[in-house]
Amino acid sequence: MFSNPTAVTFIGYLVLMVGIGFFAYFYTRSYADFILGGRSLGGFVTALSVGASDMSGWLLMGLPGAVYLYGISQSWIAIGLIIGSWFNWKYTAARLRVYTEKAHNSLTLPDYLSHRFEDKGNALRIIAAIVILIFFTIYCASGVVAGARLFENTFDMDYETALIIGAAATILYVFIGGFLAVSWTDTIQASIMCIALIVTPIAVMIDAGGFVATTERVASINPTMLNMMEGHTVIGVISLLAWGLGYFGQPHILVRFMAAKSIKVIPNARRVGTLWMLFCLSGAVGVGFFGAAYFSIHPGDATLVTENHERVFIVLSSLLFNPWIAGLLMSAILAAVMSTLSCQLLVCSSTLTQDFYRTYLRKNATQRELVWVGRFMVLAISVVAVWIASDPTSLVLSLVSYAWAGFGAAFGPAILISLWWKRMTRNGALVGMVVGAVTVLVWNHFGWFGLYEIVPGWILSSIAIYVVSILDKAPAESVEKTFEAVETVVKAG
């Protein structure tokens, strides 16, 4: 193993990530530091941390694999994500940063919702926490699957062994360093991911004779691969674009807005984050699209990709580059997996610790106690995620799709409307979350009209929030005053 340059590079990357976790340990002095980094992130780190925590192994495995099979028609997802992310930065980031601080310095989304509506019975907190734990455990499993596939391919391991080892490094640095470790490593990981997704499709085009020759080669394989509407109905396109709606409800992304140093860093972070997404998603589409041309020219190298189309980036990296560079490029997949998985584990841990343990079991728990409870909750969620991921036939894209819709529909309308509409009530938020989550579960099961479940989930949740809030009695005066105070701060910039 240690004579293989790819393996050495790969292991060196893992050691660096864990080392950052140990370094962050010394800056983690309180529970707020462990789960929110003391609200100290600058604009650049916030932007790249949002990007890295967002994309997961789907960026380098799921999306390139889909484009490899079906062509650029799969890039509707990427278009929807870029649009949705920009709107999330524009209309959620600054307001959520201010509101969570005004609402009793809320540390989690359930915490924010509970304080935003002065929910003394904690019903909002409980429902929000349950939704987070259900869908994030599924989401975590998708990251574990992606990591296992990478270790399986790189070190020629069986799936079960790769599963355990692939999850271990992420669990270790989250356990030790908490939010700061996650954010600092996200910055490095986002940079590696972006470089890998720019370099790889360029290398494929050079090998195949340039952009025009490569495109013509793809057209000769199957002309429909160049058709944006191939295989899609209007409903199909709407479903792919609707992935962008999910951003408004993703706890692991929203918590980055909460951790920003101030709202002054948000505009620059939005610009950096949007550019990062443009480069990465374009590159991911390019890997799958040009990869189809490469393997038609070199059919003897296509065995692993034929077995599993989500391996297209892994195989191209190992074939096109010097082993040392290939190790760094394949580390980009681990970067994507680790960055998202680490954020998800931390959100689950903070939910269990802040919204259950601290709220119901130990209201007067010390900061040190809460940090250690948070660490052990990371381990507990990891065990469940590994168990779900133990099925080696799991597809990363399908798992991510389900969890993304669940969060988007359950939290998206509730968070966005709560930030912009003073008349929204606690009961409106509660019913809206339940309607959104249940709609996703039911719609996913029956698959009506072939429409992605986030669309009906978002629509029905928004309607429920509006109708229930209008029929409900007006919010308390103190709730309205907090809303107005947030408005004043945001307008002042």
Side-chain angles (χ1 to χ4, degrees):
M1 179 185 295
F2 291 100
S3 62
N4 182 340
T6 300
V8 172
T9 306
F10 206 72
I11 292 169
Y13 169 80
L14 287 174
V15 171
L16 174 63
M17 295 300 102
V18 174
I20 291 173
F22 277 99
F23 185 72
Y25 175 84
F26 297 102
Y27 288 86
T28 303
R29 300 181 179 87
S30 67
Y31 180 59
D33 289 340
F34 184 75
I35 66 171
L36 212 56
R39 299 187 191 268
S40 61
L41 300 189
F44 186 76
V45 174
T46 300
L48 294 192
S49 185
V50 166
S53 63
D54 167 15
M55 286 302 171
S56 75
W58 172 83
L59 178 64
L60 292 105
M61 296 179 72
L63 180 56
V67 174
Y68 173 81
L69 281 184
Y70 305 111
I72 60 171
S73 60
Q74 297 302 301
S75 62
W76 285 111
I77 297 178
I79 295 169
L81 289 176
I82 291 169
I83 295 171
S85 176
W86 188 88
F87 275 98
N88 197 33
W89 276 107
K90 181 70 175 177
Y91 295 106
T92 307
R95 285 176 177 266
L96 187 63
R97 170 61 182 85
V98 175
Y99 224 133
T100 51
E101 191 168 19
K102 292 286 185 183
H104 298 275
N105 195 31
S106 303
L107 300 177
T108 65
L109 282 186
D111 216 12
Y112 159 70
L113 290 169
S114 181
H115 292 308
R116 160 68 174 84
F117 297 101
E118 296 185 358
D119 180 19
K120 301 294 191 289
N122 280 322
L124 276 174
R125 185 190 298 274
I126 294 170
I127 295 298
I130 290 173
V131 170
I132 285 175
L133 293 174
I134 290 174
F135 286 112
F136 252 153
T137 305
I138 297 171
Y139 214 151
C140 287
S142 75
V144 174
V145 169
R149 291 217 182 108
L150 181 59
F151 276 85
E152 185 182 27
N153 185 78
T154 305
F155 299 111
D156 195 27
M157 296 176 175
D158 62 89
Y159 183 82
E160 289 74 20
T161 304
L163 190 71
I164 301 301
I165 295 177
T170 304
I171 295 167
L172 184 58
Y173 79 75
V174 178
F175 180 87
I176 296 167
F179 189 90
L180 287 176
V182 170
S183 299
W184 293 343
T185 54
D186 277 353
T187 304
I188 297 172
Q189 290 162 338
S191 302
I192 293 174
M193 290 155 63
C194 192
I195 292 169
L197 286 169
I198 291 172
V199 169
T200 304
I202 291 174
V204 175
M205 282 191 289
I206 292 172
D207 180 87
F211 176 80
V212 175
T214 309
T215 303
E216 290 175 349
R217 183 76 187 189
V218 175
S220 69
I221 301 167
N222 185 354
T224 63
M225 292 186 73
L226 279 72
N227 182 357
M228 281 292 288
M229 291 302 297
E230 176 59 28
H232 291 313
T233 60
V234 173
I235 288 179
V237 172
I238 291 172
S239 293
L240 293 173
L241 289 173
W243 277 66
L245 287 174
Y247 276 108
F248 300 100
Q250 304 302 316
H252 57 302
I253 294 172
L254 297 176
V255 76
R256 261 72 200 149
F257 300 154
M258 294 162 60
K261 187 181 299 183
S262 74
I263 61 171
K264 295 184 184 301
V265 307
I266 298 296
N268 186 54
R270 181 176 69 247
R271 288 187 284 270
V272 172
T274 303
L275 283 174
W276 183 90
M277 284 195 70
L278 283 168
F279 280 120
C280 286
L281 286 168
S282 299
V285 171
V287 168
F289 183 74
F290 298 130
Y294 179 90
F295 290 113
S296 74
I297 298 170
H298 308 282
D301 295 330
T303 305
L304 289 174
V305 180
T306 303
E307 291 175 359
N308 187 337
H309 58 279
E310 291 188 344
R311 289 175 176 159
V312 60
F313 176 82
I314 297 174
V315 177
L316 285 173
S317 298
S318 63
L319 292 173
L320 289 169
F321 297 98
N322 172 286
W324 293 100
I325 298 175
L328 183 61
L329 293 179
M330 280 197 283
S331 294
I333 300 178
L334 188 59
V337 172
M338 291 174 73
S339 58
T340 303
L341 178 57
S342 62
C343 300
Q344 293 161 350
L345 289 174
L346 198 59
V347 169
C348 287
S349 167
S350 62
T351 297
L352 286 167
T353 306
Q354 176 75 7
D355 300 308
F356 285 115
Y357 184 82
R358 190 180 194 179
T359 301
Y360 296 106
L361 299 178
R362 293 274 292 171
K363 292 183 179 180
N364 298 318
T366 64
Q367 292 293 301
R368 179 179 175 82
E369 178 184 345
L370 290 171
V371 169
W372 279 103
V373 170
R375 286 180 171 137
F376 284 111
M377 291 303 178
V378 167
L379 295 181
I381 293 295
S382 300
V383 169
V384 178
V386 168
W387 175 75
I388 293 173
S390 60
D391 176 9
T393 63
S394 298
L395 283 179
V396 173
L397 186 59
S398 61
L399 288 172
V400 170
S401 170
Y402 188 43
W404 186 266
F407 280 127
F411 287 136
I415 295 296
L416 190 60
I417 296 173
S418 73
L419 295 173
W420 286 89
W421 189 31
K422 183 165 65 173
R423 183 63 176 78
M424 182 177 173
T425 67
R426 172 259 195 192
N427 290 332
L430 188 62
V431 174
M433 283 195 299
V434 172
V435 168
V438 171
T439 301
V440 166
L441 292 170
V442 174
W443 203 281
N444 178 271
H445 178 73
F446 290 101
W448 290 310
F449 313 116
L451 182 65
Y452 186 24
E453 54 268 22
I454 196 172
V455 178
W458 233 89
I459 293 172
L460 294 179
S461 176
S462 300
I463 292 172
I465 290 170
Y466 178 77
V467 171
V468 173
S469 294
I470 288 296
L471 295 177
D472 204 0
K473 64 180 181 180
E477 184 179 350
S478 56
V479 172
E480 294 188 349
K481 283 185 177 178
T482 302
F483 184 94
E484 290 163 2
V486 171
E487 284 270 301
T488 301
V489 174
V490 172
K491 287 178 180 178

